[in-house]
Amino acid sequence: MNLSDRPRRLRGDGVRGLVSETSLSASDLIAPVFVDATTDSRVPIQSMPGHERVPIDEAVARVEEVLETGVEAVMLFGIPEEKDERGSRAWAASGVVQEATRRITEQTDAYVITDVCLCEYTDHGHCGVLEEHAQAEPDLTVDNDETLPLLGNIAVSHARAGADMVAPSGMMDGMVASIREALDEDGHENVPIMSYAAKFESAFYGPFRDAADGAPAFGNRRHYQMDPANRREAMREVQLDVEQGADVLMVKPALPYLDIVADVRREFDHPVAAYNVSGEYAMLHAAAEKGWLDLDAVAHESLLSIKRAGADLILTYFAEDIAETL
Ligand code: PBG
């Protein structure tokens, strides 16, 4: 046996740091924040321990808490005061995200990214306007092309309110091009788009649907979100978003899709984001609560692994907790 090559030589405490290939820092992390127009006080989210929906009046205070941990960016999600068939509160100048964005960008230094989607705003919970007969025909859900101009309206309303970046999450074909064009026409050519470029139809979104009240009232999202079975198709999806002008490419969820993160890293030079989603957060918390896992350790290892796979930035509900330990 030839033992001249002994990798253990570089595992001593003095040298490990020098040869470490991946590092995690607070500036890589984006903290999701939920602003709720239907409440006057903070409401804990049961399935996501430590997270709450905050009223508009507390949006600035909530973001200041994030900034204190060293995390510099937030992703805003809104729960509107009312929902309708087309989700019209999503692009209202007085809407919940628009109002929160104005206050946060005026009063803090946070980098504000907004989720551009309709599912929290439509009374049926789908990510766009419905096709005719959608409720009766299992193969029909969202009308892609009717939805595109609405996504443009939402993005423009966010940019007017001061959003630093917009993040379309609805998986409509052509959404990045429509949003880019709408933003440019309104004078926001410097607002970047972080596209949820490869977003899978995942059961790991369960807790988020409680948090943002956006579960579909009928059917599911498999006609617009990607089939978890498909790896090559993800490259095609990402390529299309690149051609349409996406600035940052996101893969979602993160941990069960690290092969996709690695593929996007290898194939494209754009910054790659990964969304460590609500279910990934909830399962670690649930196991830790039972005493089966050490929460800080598994959270840190999860985020490090997402970076190692190739992500530059990570959206995660662990952002604040982990930033504080770094
Ligand atoms: C809305 C949206 C969802 C998430 C982010 N934006 C829900 C969904 O697509 O069903 C999920 C985030 C999470 O689970 O943490 N389109």
Side-chain angles (χ1 to χ4, degrees), residues 34 48 77 115 117-120 127 169-170 196 199 204-209 214 216 221 225 252 275-279 317:
F34 298 96
M48 296 167 66
F77 293 97
D115 182 68
C117 196
L118 282 155
C119 56
E120 291 120 51
C127 301
S169 64
Y196 286 66
K199 176 173 178 178
F204 285 98
Y205 305 150
F208 177 91
R209 292 176 184 179
R221 305 203 204 287
Q225 298 180 349
K252 179 183 174 186
Y275 200 140
N276 178 229
V277 303
S278 56
Y317 304 98

Side-chain angles (χ1 to χ4, degrees), residues 2-302:
N2 177 6
L3 273 179
S4 64
D5 199 1
R6 292 177 182 268
R8 287 187 57 181
R9 286 182 198 123
L10 298 179
R11 291 190 191 136
D13 285 338
V15 71
R16 296 172 66 88
L18 287 173
V19 300
S20 163
E21 298 175 31
T22 311
S23 67
L24 198 56
S25 81
S27 61
D28 303 326
L29 307 177
I30 301 167
V33 165
F34 298 96
V35 186
D36 185 346
T38 69
T39 179
D40 300 326
S41 56
R42 294 185 180 216
V43 183
I45 301 165
Q46 296 305 332
S47 51
M48 296 167 66
H51 282 273
E52 6 178 63
R53 301 172 169 200
V54 303
I56 293 173
D57 280 342
E58 299 231 11
V60 168
R62 175 75 194 93
V63 170
E64 280 168 348
E65 292 164 12
V66 172
L67 296 175
E68 267 166 35
T69 67
V71 173
E72 297 161 2
V74 293
M75 169 79 110
L76 292 188
F77 293 97
I79 295 98
E81 51 288 273
E82 60 200 11
K83 305 182 187 227
D84 59 33
E85 214 186 325
R86 290 171 67 77
S88 59
R89 293 305 293 170
W91 60 87
S94 60
V96 55
V97 165
Q98 292 80 355
E99 184 56 32
T101 299
R102 270 190 294 275
R103 296 187 191 192
I104 295 163
T105 52
E106 274 164 23
Q107 298 175 46
T108 78
D109 292 329
Y111 190 81
V112 175
I113 308 170
T114 55
D115 182 68
V116 173
C117 196
L118 282 155
C119 56
E120 291 120 51
Y121 301 87
T122 51
D123 51 17
H124 45 76
H126 278 288
C127 301
V129 289
L130 296 181
E131 301 217 46
E132 240 188 307
H133 312 304
Q135 309 231 22
E137 299 271 348
D139 222 35
L140 292 178
T141 48
V142 172
D143 186 326
N144 192 87
D145 298 8
E146 289 288 318
T147 299
L148 293 179
L150 305 186
L151 298 178
N153 294 346
I154 299 172
V156 166
S157 72
H158 290 176
R160 286 183 182 172
D164 295 301
M165 180 185 270
V166 294
S169 64
M171 289 301 280
M172 295 300 127
D173 294 336
M175 70 182 182
V176 173
S178 296
I179 289 172
R180 186 70 271 158
E181 195 181 327
L183 287 172
D184 291 356
E185 260 171 34
D186 205 60
H188 307 288
E189 38 295 269
N190 290 323
V191 173
I193 300 174
M194 172 160 65
S195 182
Y196 286 66
K199 176 173 178 178
F200 290 85
E201 204 254 325
S202 171
F204 285 98
Y205 305 150
F208 177 91
R209 292 176 184 179
D210 295 344
D213 190 24
F218 67 94
N220 52 50
R221 305 203 204 287
R222 74 172 182 276
H223 299 125
Y224 39 103
Q225 298 180 349
M226 282 190 61
D227 183 343
N230 293 357
R231 180 173 182 176
R232 295 190 303 271
E233 188 196 351
M235 289 308 98
R236 196 169 147 229
E237 269 287 358
V238 174
Q239 178 67 43
L240 287 168
D241 285 8
V242 166
E243 286 163 11
Q244 292 170 38
D247 300 283
V248 179
L249 307 172
M250 193 206 294
V251 174
K252 179 183 174 186
L255 290 177
Y257 296 85
L258 293 184
D259 54 335
I260 312 293
V261 173
D263 286 353
V264 178
R265 169 75 297 145
R266 200 177 49 247
E267 298 292 325
F268 300 92
D269 291 329
H270 292 58
V272 177
Y275 200 140
N276 178 229
V277 303
S278 56
E280 299 174 57
Y281 178 81
M283 65 183 176
L284 298 193
H285 266 274
E289 228 169 76
K290 285 189 172 272
W292 293 347
L293 290 175
D294 172 342
L295 186 62
D296 276 348
V298 287
H300 188 273
E301 184 178 333
S302 298

